[in-house]
Amino acid sequence: MIKYPGGAVYKPATKKVKITSASASNRGMSLEHDLNLSNNHYNDAGIALITKRPTPINVVKVDYTKGARITDAYFEKQSTTDYNGIYKGRYLDMEAKSTLSKNSFPLSNIYEHQFHHLRQVTAQGGLALFIIRFTSLNETYLIEARHIIEVKTSGNRRSVPLQLIRQHGVRIEVGYAPRIDYLKALDEILARR
Amino acid sequence: MIKYPGGAVYKPATKKVKITSASASNRGMSLEHDLNLSNNHYNDAGIALITKRPTPINVVKVDYTKGARITDAYFEKQSTTDYNGIYKGRYLDMEAKSTLSKNSFPLSNIYEHQFHHLRQVTAQGGLALFIIRFTSLNETYLIEARHIIEVKTSGNRRSVPLQLIRQHGVRIEVGYAPRIDYLKALDEILARR
């Protein structure tokens, strides 16, 4: 602790200290942000080409007097998934979700349409994946969609236990570039097959 | 010609007559509409899973008092292409464009970013394609992106001659389901390789 002449005590700005801490800054970053950084890295390095689908928006009114400014619109549900692309010549399709839960991933996070889409991806021979982040635990997993779909199809559960995700999925390492190395986790999953 | 009592002459509404003509209604349909119908057919029939990327929109202001209504936003340039997906286990990426020109396809229709994206798709072993419709001729072609990129790279031309597109591409048949059978055209292109 630093004491100034006159007895005043220097208190470091709590917020600033938190930001310089690596683990805290990890928690502060959103999963989407991490994925965008990682995908940029993969693309730049020629490792893969995976892009985020834009959020679907239904445009109601456009003001052309202001250079095509949208003045009325609303968000639509994503009928597919957030990410798709190509890795090692294979088609890849994935949905990324965060949960505050500490012991399971609620199935209500995934729309019926998205389950249907991921089933179709699998039927076409593509890689259908989920990236699931347990924000409170600071743990992120890559898991094949079929494991989540199995729990959904069984109809007995409203959420996927973390234990099941740990068993069938692979924990994603957090680093600098790529921010989250989910393709390394995918390599592990493919090697298991 | 029908003559009414009193000498008035019945004139059929030109617009109505045009709509009932099959060829005219074909011309009236947009390429995007045709592709959406075709992709729905392919997906439903389990032939392929190809989806349109939503138009990217930059949201500036959202009114949450009205249930997340967007009150200010603008269209962004598409940095990738309009369509991607999986066919016969392969990653496919394509851009679809119409032109009113009768003898060439202007390269100004394609953004620099899109060329870059399609080059990356090819480098990753994916199928990079263009669908080009000559609206005035009512002719639609599927062509591998590399042929268009070659003309672009040569730097001598500002447009791709229709003759070159006819030589390297395959004309897409127009029908009912699928509306435009571009995957049949793709099979021909793949057989040539």
Side-chain angles (χ1 to χ4, degrees), chain A residues 105 107 110 115 130 132 143-153 160 164-165:
Chain A
F105 173 70
L107 287 167
I110 315 294
F115 277 116
F130 277 105
I132 299 171
I143 185 167
E144 285 183 86
R146 63 189 173 97
H147 299 297
I148 309 294
I149 290 169
E150 257 171 42
V151 176
K152 164 90 180 168
T153 310
V160 184
L164 186 147
I165 293 170

Side-chain angles (χ1 to χ4, degrees), chain A residues 43 46 54 69-70 72-73 84 124, chain B residues 46 54 69-70 72-73 84 124:
Chain A
N43 294 358
R69 203 78 183 186
I70 299 160
D72 189 13
N84 75 346
Q124 291 290 336
Chain B
R69 203 79 183 186
I70 298 160
D72 190 12
N84 75 347
Q124 291 291 334

Side-chain angles (χ1 to χ4, degrees), chain A residues 21-65:
Chain A
S21 143
S23 67
S25 73
N26 283 353
R27 279 196 290 273
M29 293 278 192
S30 78
L31 180 54
E32 181 180 333
H33 182 73
D34 284 357
L35 277 167
N36 287 347
L37 288 180
S38 306
N39 286 338
N40 286 345
H41 170 80
Y42 289 141
N43 294 358
D44 290 346
I47 294 166
L49 184 61
I50 296 151
T51 56
K52 188 182 182 298
R53 289 188 175 98
T55 308
I57 289 173
N58 196 311
V59 176
V60 179
K61 221 153 111 188
V62 178
D63 187 346
Y64 287 101
T65 63

Side-chain angles (χ1 to χ4, degrees), chain A residues 43 46-49 51 53-54 56-57 59-60 69-75 80 84-86 89 91 117 120-121 124-126, chain B residues 43 46-49 51 53-54 56-57 59-60 69-75 80 84-86 89 91 117 120-121 124 126:
Chain A
N43 294 358
I47 294 166
L49 184 61
T51 56
R53 289 188 175 98
I57 289 173
V59 176
V60 179
R69 203 78 183 186
I70 299 160
T71 55
D72 189 13
Y74 56 89
F75 296 101
T80 60
N84 75 346
I86 180 169
Y91 177 82
H117 179 79
Q120 282 189 299
V121 169
Q124 291 290 336
Chain B
N43 294 357
I47 294 166
L49 184 61
T51 55
R53 288 188 176 98
I57 289 173
V59 175
V60 180
R69 203 79 183 186
I70 298 160
T71 54
D72 190 12
Y74 56 89
F75 295 101
T80 59
N84 75 347
I86 180 169
Y91 177 81
H117 178 80
Q120 283 190 298
V121 169
Q124 291 291 334

